[in-house]
Amino acid sequence: MAEQKIDLRNLKAGGFIKERGKDLFTVRLRVPGGRLSVDRLAKIAEVAQKYGKGYVHLSVRQSIELINVNFADFDAVVAELGEEQQKVASCGARVRVPTACGGCEYNPNGLIDTQKSALEVDEKLFGTATGHHKFKVCFAGCPFDCPKSSINDVGFQGAVWPSLDADACIGCGLCAKSCTEGALAMADGKPVFDAQKCIYCGDCIKVCPTGAWSAAKKGYTVRIGGKWGRRPLVGTLYATFLPEERAVDFIAAVLAWYQEKAEGAGRVRLGDIIIREGCQSLLDHLRRDFAGFVVAETVPPQVIVNQIPLPGQA
Amino acid sequence: MQTIDLRGVTCPTNFVMAKLELEDIEAGTTVEFLLDDGEPVKNVPRSLKDEGHKLLGLKEQDGYYTLLLEKGAD
């Protein structure tokens, strides 16, 4: 066997992606939730300058990718990035680095700490081999859903359930005006709540001048089975108000079901396995440990007819 | 009472204008803002509340909104 010039352990989780051209690789960096300190960013810039092409690429899932890195420099790149605790990301049939919006610390729309959740998932589940295909997770802070929870294998969306203290309400009507879903209307000078229409965005709570509206409960709305790519699927609803501290366990439970049910299926994403097995099987599996949060029923991932040829065409 | 007309001004310019106007007003004073329907009436009251002002009421007339507000302490 030839003498090993590089440490192959660095390649275990992937993240080194073959480029066109001899010896050259893209090195995808691990940036859970897309947040990184300016010091880390400076270190990345330094390494990119020294070993790369002179530019970086921002991946569509919030990673920074170093371009045109010679494979002989892998060990040096890993070591120098390590000086600022910057790690290399994953690729292939593994749990990918979770994406997240800015969360709730500075963004006025954010209902939940998505950055914290992304870091927890990254710490506990990063790089876990699925045995089948890639597995993507994202955290959106509110129903605006900038991270696009429905096109992830498991997508989380921050949610609050509003509750009114009628005595504190001054009948100003701001909540009804703010509610874009039509879940609130004014009648006799007081807001009337139609729970069926509420999507848990909390806009009523945010605008209420007196604090008459408050959050009775908070957590994640969870959608499962989405993906993009050649044959997109829109993920569907599996849980509501899942407590943030249970997100990691929830993902692990979905992953266990996927690993078992996709056995022998080859390179198939979770959504397609749900279509094959039926969503009831996954609902039943999740209900064992998350009974209070799993919805009574759901529908399979939704196929979008956006691929050529158009229906009816040859 | 001072009336600040923010009709025809889009987000976030309307909010920044409201902030600038409020700088010259004493805490505890009540003022009213005229706001367009749509994004302005949805966003501006919430942002002003977030800045520590007290929202007192909202009423609609002729397709626009009047927001009554008491300036908060700095």
Side-chain angles (χ1 to χ4, degrees):
Chain A
M1 199 174 156
E3 186 196 345
Q4 276 185 14
K5 293 183 203 154
I6 57 164
D7 188 346
L8 296 176
R9 283 172 303 182
N10 287 336
L11 308 182
K12 208 177 153 198
F16 297 87
I17 304 156
K18 177 77 186 78
E19 292 181 359
R20 293 165 191 260
K22 189 174 179 294
D23 295 343
L24 298 178
F25 285 75
T26 288
V27 181
R28 180 181 291 163
L29 303 182
R30 188 170 159 189
V31 188
R35 183 186 290 186
L36 73 173
S37 72
V38 176
D39 286 342
R40 255 171 80 189
L41 189 60
K43 174 57 75 180
I44 292 167
E46 186 189 310
V47 172
Q49 190 76 269
K50 192 167 166 187
Y51 298 102
K53 181 73 174 173
Y55 57 79
V56 296
H57 176 249
L58 301 179
S59 86
V60 296
R61 283 185 58 87
Q62 303 183 314
S63 300
I64 294 177
E65 294 172 334
L66 308 182
I67 308 301
N68 266 203
V69 176
N70 190 298
F71 88 112
D73 292 327
F74 280 1
D75 291 355
V77 165
V78 169
E80 288 180 37
L81 290 170
E83 290 166 16
E84 279 293 341
Q85 284 71 53
Q86 178 59 56
K87 296 188 172 80
V88 175
S90 57
C91 62
R94 300 179 181 90
V95 175
R96 301 296 181 84
V97 179
T99 57
C101 66
C104 61
E105 299 148 281
Y106 56 88
N107 184 328
N109 289 315
L111 300 169
I112 200 160
D113 195 345
T114 58
Q115 287 289 320
K116 186 175 161 216
S117 296
L119 287 177
E120 278 173 9
V121 169
D122 187 62
E123 189 197 329
K124 304 269 171 54
L125 300 173
F126 165 81
T128 306
T130 66
H132 312 298
H133 209 326
K134 64 181 87 168
F135 193 91
K136 295 179 177 180
V137 172
C138 81
F139 292 92
C142 72
F144 277 135
D145 203 18
C146 299
K148 305 174 183 66
S149 63
S150 290
I151 57 167
N152 279 252
D153 293 275
V154 187
F156 294 83
Q157 190 183 79
V160 288
W161 179 252
S163 160
L164 181 71
D165 173 1
D167 293 337
C169 176
I170 56 171
C172 68
L174 274 161
C175 56
K177 192 62 219 169
S178 292
C179 182
T180 47
E181 301 303 315
L184 284 172
M186 297 302 285
D188 299 327
K190 294 281 176 188
V192 179
F193 181 49
D194 180 353
Q196 293 295 318
K197 290 182 178 168
C198 181
I199 61 163
Y200 321 143
C201 70
D203 281 358
C204 50
I205 299 168
K206 288 170 194 160
V207 79
C208 180
T210 62
W213 282 109
S214 62
K217 55 182 174 176
K218 187 180 91 165
Y220 282 117
T221 302
V222 191
R223 295 183 175 86
I224 303 180
K227 70 187 191 75
W228 215 242
R230 295 170 198 229
R231 299 281 169 186
L233 290 174
V234 174
T236 58
L237 186 66
Y238 279 80
T240 55
F241 298 106
L242 182 79
E244 48 192 325
E245 63 274 14
R246 301 207 62 195
V248 170
D249 290 343
F250 191 90
I251 297 166
V254 176
L255 201 51
W257 184 88
Y258 176 44
Q259 284 165 329
E260 184 199 327
K261 300 296 180 187
E263 188 66 50
R267 197 168 169 270
V268 180
R269 286 284 285 274
L270 173 62
D272 287 311
I273 296 298
I274 296 172
I275 289 172
R276 195 184 75 180
E277 295 287 323
C279 44
Q280 195 58 43
S281 164
L282 180 54
L283 277 175
D284 292 344
H285 172 78
L286 292 170
R287 208 168 273 128
R288 274 177 230 156
D289 285 331
F290 303 93
F293 312 106
V294 173
V295 295
E297 53 188 311
T298 191
V299 293
Q302 300 292 293
V303 177
I304 313 164
V305 183
N306 73 338
Q307 193 55 283
I308 44 176
L310 291 169
Q313 288 189 342
Chain B
M1 181 171 56
Q2 191 174 340
T3 299
I4 299 154
D5 190 352
L6 297 173
R7 289 174 297 173
V9 186
T10 54
C11 302
T13 312
N14 44 20
F15 169 62
V16 175
M17 279 175 72
K19 262 181 77 67
L20 291 172
E21 292 284 349
L22 284 165
E23 278 182 6
D24 300 330
I25 293 168
E26 216 171 306
T29 308
T30 301
V31 291
E32 61 178 20
F33 292 95
L34 308 186
L35 295 165
D36 285 323
D37 197 1
E39 289 292 303
V41 72
K42 188 164 157 34
N43 292 336
V44 175
R46 192 171 117 184
S47 300
L48 289 170
K49 178 195 165 192
D50 218 32
E51 296 263 315
H53 305 295
K54 190 176 177 189
L55 309 185
L56 302 174
L58 182 79
K59 61 176 194 284
E60 186 184 7
Q61 69 225 44
D62 306 326
Y64 67 91
Y65 287 84
T66 304
L67 174 74
L68 203 62
L69 170 149
E70 181 188 309
K71 184 178 169 169
D74 286 330

